[in-house]
Amino acid sequence: MSTHRKNLSRRRLLAASAVGVAGTGAAVATGSSLLSSASAATFGHTDDGKNFVINTGASLVFKISKSTGDLTSLVYRGKEYEGYGGKHSHVESGLGASTVSVRQSGSTILVKVVHGAITQWYAARSGQNNVYLWTNKADASFTATRFLVRLKPGMFPNEGSDSWIEASDKIIEAGDVWKRADGTTHSKHYSGKRVIDYDHIGFTTGSVGLWLVRSNHEKASGGPFYRSLLRHSNDKGAGLYEILHYNEAQTEPERFGLQGPYVLAFTDGGAPSASLAAARLDTSWVDGLGITGWVGAAGRGKVAGVGIKGMDAQHPYTVGFANPDAQYWAQAAAGTGAFSCKGMLPGTYTLTVYKGELAVHTASVTVKAGGATALNSITVTGDPSAAKTIWRLGDWDGTPGEFKNAKLMTYAHPADARAAKWTGNVTIGGSQAASADFPAYMWSGVNDGVLVYFKLTAAQAAAAHTLRIGITDAFAGGRPRVTVNDWVSAVPQASTQPSTRSLTTGSYRGNNRTLTYSVPSSAWKTDPGQYNVLKINIVSGSSGTAFLSPGTSFDCMDLLA
């Protein structure tokens, strides 16, 4: 084969590749074109006085401010996409005056931005329509860690639950939740995905796609089920987010160090990959670039487990790994529970097995650089579903998924017109599915005092029983106090939960807690034909109104036999 044909074949192969991140690592797979087959002869960088101008040698030219390190221009196929409202794309909310430098290393151009505790990196590779990014944060001098890509208005369709129209929609909460004339609610919070659910987020016209492919989040916070900002659009512009630490609904302390790469990728309209989870991105090209904090494959290890015993086939299982320095996760295979987690930094981790989102087993595991840690079968020991019950509402899976309005609440406000009424009582053993009638959330100022009706046999009524209520989150210290017929429980202690909004911003994910109530035999109705009445009230030492009053989200509720 001639040299020309070899080069042409190589460019076509590159043009078929796509960049993504799957689970705990970056990925590459065949799919929509990220790369151009155009000649890479123009690959290089120049200085226009204010910016370093990076020509990728494909269809993308981008600029980095020499004074602030902001990404100030994204020109793809001759069209400018970057910027809105007089602001550019940047880490945090913009670093301000920074030390910015550029250098070329073979087929890679690397820009370094230093501002106090943050070092931001940008990279371009010859012939690719991608911008690779890394963020290294050393301490908490900045309150959040994110990169925000700002896009001009009108470049992509303004649609979806995370889009709104400022000219006509009305703000109903905190300046960032909007309600349309048709009663639907919209917000930048309502992308409806957990970290484990997505590899990339973005926009497409059908002929042009712009995507932000997430990093492995090894030094982010919140674990695999964390929900945060992903994208937004309105009549004034659009944005893509790589959230690495965000205080809202956050359950973990912040981690520090290098995070990335995450990738800003242009395509011919399709998603950046057809099978992101199936392959790995070879990042060996990063090893020699001198990026501070970068740990290549040789400095990482692996954990592999042969299986998990005692799984419930109705639920997916995830195995998480976390310590103060890093976090990872791997999905367990259905049936066997086998799992494998690669690319882990050395250290000792808490291993947590999640049934759905509920932690049902924990252990400790040590990872060594260049090695593989093999684990024998894990036996689940902490699944509350194993207990015998008289009745149960919902399922012990760490989510309110079986309850009324639960699924809608990941991409809408509780005041949304599509939500069923939050009020209404439940009868166990009635003609309808009781779990679907019970509200996913309760607030002291909205639907306090929901009643649950149930019957007991004479033998059951002759004994004391334990009532369990599992919660997934609580706002403003809200927690359930119960009344059974004439018996009133003590006020339970407040659980440790995020201090920010959550129930109105698309997240029920806090710290799962189980509250137990010892109900004496004297509390029950002795006539088996009579209904016992369980009343649930939300109590708190804090105040608030409507959907910002103290509240809680439910996982499951049952009465033990």
Side-chain angles (χ1 to χ4, degrees):
M1 182 182 293
S2 68
T3 301
H4 171 75
R5 290 182 64 191
K6 287 181 179 178
N7 290 338
L8 180 59
S9 296
R10 180 177 181 273
R11 287 198 297 270
R12 285 174 176 169
L13 177 62
L14 289 174
S17 68
V19 178
V21 175
T24 59
V28 63
T30 57
S32 299
S33 173
L34 284 184
L35 312 181
S36 170
S37 60
S39 170
T42 56
F43 177 72
H45 63 88
T46 57
D47 184 337
D48 69 2
K50 292 184 178 181
N51 306 279
F52 292 122
V53 182
I54 316 298
N55 191 322
T56 65
S59 299
L60 174 64
V61 178
F62 65 93
K63 296 181 180 181
I64 307 297
S65 168
K66 293 168 57 179
S67 59
T68 66
D70 286 0
L71 178 61
T72 59
S73 176
L74 284 167
V75 175
Y76 179 66
R77 296 179 181 171
K79 182 182 292 187
E80 178 66 75
Y81 284 82
E82 198 281 329
Y84 68 78
K87 296 182 179 181
H88 290 295
S89 305
H90 43 226
V91 68
E92 307 296 358
S93 296
L95 298 177
S98 304
T99 302
V100 186
S101 58
V102 63
R103 62 183 173 86
Q104 184 170 340
S105 177
S107 60
T108 302
I109 296 171
L110 188 67
V111 177
K112 180 181 181 181
V113 181
V114 180
H115 179 99
I118 287 185
T119 302
Q120 179 70 25
W121 305 83
Y122 303 86
R125 302 196 71 199
S126 179
Q128 298 189 10
N129 290 316
N130 306 331
V131 183
Y132 295 86
L133 304 99
W134 295 260
T135 303
N136 195 332
K137 183 178 178 182
D139 59 38
S141 52
F142 285 84
T143 58
T145 309
R146 69 172 188 179
F147 194 94
L148 171 57
V149 183
R150 299 181 188 270
L151 304 174
K152 294 174 62 177
M155 306 306 293
F156 296 100
N158 184 32
E159 57 190 17
S161 54
D162 48 15
S163 69
W164 63 94
I165 305 170
E166 292 194 14
S168 56
D169 294 348
K170 294 183 179 180
I171 294 175
I172 62 170
E173 183 179 300
D176 60 10
V177 180
W178 303 74
K179 196 167 190 178
R180 197 152 292 171
D182 63 4
T184 60
T185 53
H186 301 259
S187 175
K188 62 184 180 181
H189 299 287
Y190 297 157
S191 295
K193 295 181 183 294
R194 309 167 301 173
V195 176
I196 197 173
D197 295 330
Y198 76 98
D199 302 291
H200 56 275
I201 194 76
F203 301 98
T204 182
T205 64
S207 59
V208 174
L210 178 54
W211 313 91
L212 201 157
V213 183
R214 73 164 174 84
S215 68
N216 65 3
H217 278 222
E218 69 181 0
K219 290 189 175 293
S221 302
F225 313 121
Y226 184 62
R227 298 176 187 267
S228 192
L229 309 181
L230 298 183
R231 68 169 209 173
H232 79 265
S233 66
N234 55 45
D235 42 332
K236 296 184 177 181
L240 295 173
Y241 298 87
E242 168 73 342
I243 297 292
L244 300 168
H245 180 78
Y246 197 56
N247 288 328
E248 192 157 76
Q250 184 56 253
T251 58
E252 289 187 310
E254 184 172 11
R255 294 180 173 93
F256 301 105
L258 183 70
Q259 307 204 57
Y262 47 104
V263 188
L264 189 59
F266 280 93
T267 74
D268 57 6
S273 173
S275 55
L276 290 172
R280 294 295 182 199
L281 172 65
D282 177 11
T283 55
S284 59
W285 61 273
V286 182
D287 291 350
L289 295 180
I291 294 177
T292 306
W294 175 257
V295 179
R300 296 172 177 271
K302 171 185 175 180
V303 174
V306 298
I308 301 172
K309 295 180 179 179
M311 295 195 305
D312 182 340
Q314 301 301 312
H315 296 278
Y317 281 72
T318 303
V319 182
F321 305 87
N323 65 23
D325 297 319
Q327 63 170 8
Y328 306 93
W329 53 86
Q331 292 179 311
T336 66
F339 61 91
S340 177
C341 190
K342 302 177 182 179
M344 300 174 66
L345 293 173
T348 298
Y349 295 84
T350 297
L351 178 156
T352 303
V353 177
Y354 295 95
K355 171 193 174 186
E357 296 184 14
L358 183 67
V360 293
H361 182 85
T362 59
S364 180
V365 63
T366 299
V367 177
K368 295 182 179 180
T373 301
L375 300 178
N376 296 325
S377 290
I378 295 171
T379 300
V380 170
T381 57
D383 187 349
S385 296
K388 294 182 178 180
T389 63
I390 297 172
W391 55 259
R392 177 172 290 159
L393 286 175
D395 200 354
W396 292 102
D397 63 357
T399 82
E402 299 79 28
F403 295 132
K404 183 168 61 177
N405 292 327
K407 292 178 174 59
L408 177 65
M409 289 302 96
T410 62
Y411 57 90
H413 189 273
D416 195 286
R418 293 167 290 180
K421 290 183 178 180
W422 288 102
T423 54
N425 302 322
V426 174
T427 299
I428 295 176
S431 59
Q432 295 182 333
S435 295
D437 294 336
F438 190 83
Y441 303 166
M442 283 181 63
W443 297 266
S444 61
V446 176
N447 56 345
D448 197 40
V450 169
L451 305 179
V452 178
Y453 296 91
F454 61 95
K455 294 179 179 180
L456 298 177
T457 66
Q460 291 168 339
H465 296 281
T466 297
L467 173 72
R468 301 188 300 184
I469 299 180
I471 65 173
T472 71
D473 195 8
F475 176 71
R479 63 268 197 194
R481 185 184 192 183
V482 303
T483 301
V484 179
N485 300 318
D486 295 325
W487 177 84
V488 182
S489 75
V491 176
Q493 290 187 338
S495 57
T496 301
Q497 300 291 350
S499 59
T500 59
R501 289 180 299 159
S502 54
L503 304 184
T504 60
T505 56
S507 179
Y508 55 77
R509 180 70 186 170
N511 294 309
N512 288 98
R513 293 292 182 267
T514 301
L515 289 75
T516 59
Y517 308 81
S518 298
V519 185
S521 59
S522 59
W524 310 119
K525 299 288 187 180
T526 57
D527 183 349
Q530 289 185 303
Y531 278 103
N532 290 274
V533 183
L534 167 66
K535 184 179 182 180
I536 302 171
N537 292 102
I538 300 300
V539 296
S540 173
S542 301
S543 60
T545 59
F547 295 110
L548 291 179
S549 63
T552 192
S553 52
F554 295 98
D555 175 13
C556 189
M557 181 184 310
D558 57 22
L559 186 66
L560 299 186

